[in-house]
Amino acid sequence: MVVPFVNLALQYSQYKTEIDEALFKVLSSGSYLGGSHVNEFENSFAEKCHAAFCVSLGNATSGLFLALKALGIGPGDEVITPAWSWISTSEVISLCGAKPVFADVDSDHYTITESEIRNKTTDKTKAVIAVHLYGQSAEVSPIKNLCGQHNLHLIEDCSQAHLSKETDSVLGTIGDVGVFSFYPTKNLGAYGDGGCAITNNKVIADKIRRFANHGGLIKDEHQIEGFNSRLGTLQAAVLNVKLKYLEGWNQRRIEIAAMYTHRLKNLDQIKLPLIRQNTTHTFHQYVIRTERRDELKNFLAHTEIQTMIHYPKALPFEPAYEYLNHSEKDFPVSAELQKTVLSLPIYPELTNEQVEYVCSMIKSFYDTRD
Ligand SMILES: *Cc1c(COP(=O)(O)O)cnc(C)c1O
């Protein structure tokens, strides 16, 4: 049985009629940026998240960058960001002229912690980027309290956590700004790049929109110097179709995660994902940990099961951050994660039979070789 890591073409084939219709409508309209599809998407996404404002953008990386700009982050400032994340969450800090300060993550949920942020806070700290990694909420309420005490801005990176929740709050609405990616493989993915920022603060929303549109809210207005980061109308049309199915797809991911956990829980050679209490984890990734990660990955590849490593190297150990002179002892959890994490296939179209097959192959790996 072949188990690809993702299968976006299969999802397209299931919704082809609806998506083709939406795309052709845009194609024949002759209008490919802005317009009613983009407005509709912003309104519906804001509503789904219970946020007052949604600003659609070209991608999440520019969303994080523009969020920092809108919050006034610049040279001389420090921004605390997780050592264990995708590089967007640190590169945008440097791009603003500020200094990225890495904080380690916790060994059960792999997200940035309030105590690590506290340890790294100095009088130059101006903001924190909390990443809700793999679909799991970071301990965002304690982090928000800490930010309140020290007058720090809080940006939530929800690129892997569309409609994940902490109690009843949709992630992205707890901090000052929440940023989302619609990169094709994300829980809500466009057919190319896409992203957005949500916020309850009108001033921040307007600033981000200005920055994303050459400094103006209307054409040919340039209140400030800006940038160009827009969601294409074709992408908005795709997202409008897909947004209707997002909750169902998340539910299916949660179901698959529960199947994996149920089938694999007796294997003490692997550590399974834990779900933080009072949160909804939407399982962008199902990440296990094992000492024999590379061996297991190869074994599964031979049985036609594709897996991935998110991520092969923690950010402070990337060549891009050599100048910070960090060593593994500075980030012991991240240093361990890069050697042990393995992401199993998880997406709504995955069948129960495929999940069973993955579990039985993992079990056979440990039975035959231990
Ligand atoms: C995907 C991702 C991003 C970047 O999103 P783009 O839309 O590709 O720029 C940022 N942060 C995290 C945590 C991501 O997973």
Side-chain angles (χ1 to χ4, degrees), residues 25 59 71 77 79 93 102 139 155 164 184 209 246 253 288 298 304 333-334 364 367:
K25 219 183 259 174
N59 56 73
L71 295 169
D77 298 337
V79 179
I93 301 169
F102 289 112
E139 49 181 41
I155 296 172
S164 295
R209 200 181 286 284
L246 178 57
R253 286 173 182 269
I288 64 170
N298 287 334
E304 300 189 299
V333 178
S334 300
S364 80
D367 280 344

Side-chain angles (χ1 to χ4, degrees), residues 206-240:
D206 284 351
K207 278 190 178 164
I208 293 176
R209 200 181 286 284
R210 273 210 175 86
F211 274 124
N213 292 281
H214 304 292
L217 294 177
I218 51 168
K219 198 170 162 53
D220 293 330
E221 174 205 39
H222 307 289
Q223 300 269 349
I224 49 167
E225 282 185 315
F227 197 70
N228 172 8
S229 180
R230 292 184 289 236
L231 181 68
T233 310
L234 285 165
Q235 302 304 344
V238 170
L239 291 170
N240 282 330

Side-chain angles (χ1 to χ4, degrees), residues 59-61 86 88 131 157 159-160 181 183 186 194:
N59 56 73
T61 306
W86 178 242
S88 302
V131 180
D157 183 349
S159 295
Q160 302 187 5
S181 172
Y183 179 83
K186 301 289 160 94

